[in-house]
């Protein structure tokens, strides 16, 4: 994974071994656009988003693709829904809490822990996985 994430902010080789890592690609391209590490937590009936990152080419307002992070969170929501879970949760950097509230309709449940549940979970899946 280190070859794919050279110049990224996070060291993806250090992700908790309980997490499964998923990559996002544009159809027909082998260039990685983002990664998400997800932990199935059946004892809590949820998916925990351990880590999420867009590739450096997608950082900020001038990034090549918009919505990479949203799509990665939508994957977590989709997997949760497929397992019969009603929510996902993650720990946000303080500076991103407001962004996640606005962009993902995530709800803070502590200073940095946030969740996406119910209609907001369904809406994120619909937004990124709708047909056509």
């Amino acid at each position: 994974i280190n070859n794919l994430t050279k110049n990224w902010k996070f060291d993806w080789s250090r992700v908790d071994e309980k997490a499964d890592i998923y990559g996002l690609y544009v159809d027909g391209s082998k260039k990685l656009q983002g990664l998400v590490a997800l932990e199935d937590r059946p004892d809590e009936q949820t998916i925990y988003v351990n880590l999420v990152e867009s590739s450096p080419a997608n950082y900020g307002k001038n990034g090549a693709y918009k919505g990479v992070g949203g799509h990665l969170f939508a994957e977590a929501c989709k997997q949760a829904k497929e397992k019969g879970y009603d929510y996902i949760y993650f720990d946000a950097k303080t500076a991103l809490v407001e962004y996640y509230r606005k962009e993902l309709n995530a709800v803070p449940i502590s200073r940095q822990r946030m969740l996406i549940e119910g209609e907001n979970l369904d809406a994120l899946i619909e937004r990124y996985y709708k047909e056509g």
Side-chain angles (χ1 to χ4, degrees):
I1 198 144
N2 283 340
N3 290 343
L4 294 173
T5 58
K6 194 175 186 179
N7 301 321
W8 288 39
K9 292 180 182 178
F10 300 107
D11 181 354
W12 281 85
S13 67
R14 299 183 72 193
V15 171
D16 189 313
E17 61 189 36
K18 292 181 268 181
D20 293 317
I21 300 174
Y22 299 88
L24 180 65
Y25 296 86
V26 174
D27 279 345
S29 172
K30 293 182 180 179
K31 186 172 181 185
L32 185 61
Q33 301 301 322
L35 287 171
V36 63
L38 304 177
E39 289 181 38
D40 183 7
R41 296 197 171 165
D43 54 320
E44 298 176 38
Q45 298 265 298
T46 190
I47 298 284
Y48 174 68
V49 180
N50 184 293
L51 187 58
V52 63
E53 183 179 7
S54 295
S55 74
N58 293 314
Y59 291 165
K61 293 179 179 159
N62 296 321
Y65 292 102
K66 306 280 183 245
V68 172
H71 203 118
L72 295 167
F73 277 100
E75 177 61 25
C77 293
K78 183 172 172 277
Q79 287 193 27
K81 194 77 170 182
E82 288 169 354
K83 292 176 184 291
Y85 304 158
D86 296 324
Y87 70 100
I88 67 164
Y89 74 102
F90 58 98
D91 295 306
K93 290 181 178 177
T94 306
L96 293 175
V97 168
E98 191 57 34
Y99 173 81
Y100 290 136
R101 285 171 69 127
K102 288 169 63 175
E103 292 297 315
L104 305 177
N105 289 316
V107 177
I109 56 174
S110 70
R111 190 164 158 255
Q112 291 177 273
R113 183 152 289 177
M114 304 187 81
L115 65 83
I116 301 171
E117 65 180 338
E119 291 177 7
N120 294 331
L121 185 113
D122 293 335
L124 210 52
I125 297 167
E126 174 67 22
R127 182 170 158 194
Y128 289 98
Y129 284 98
K130 61 185 170 192
E131 299 288 324

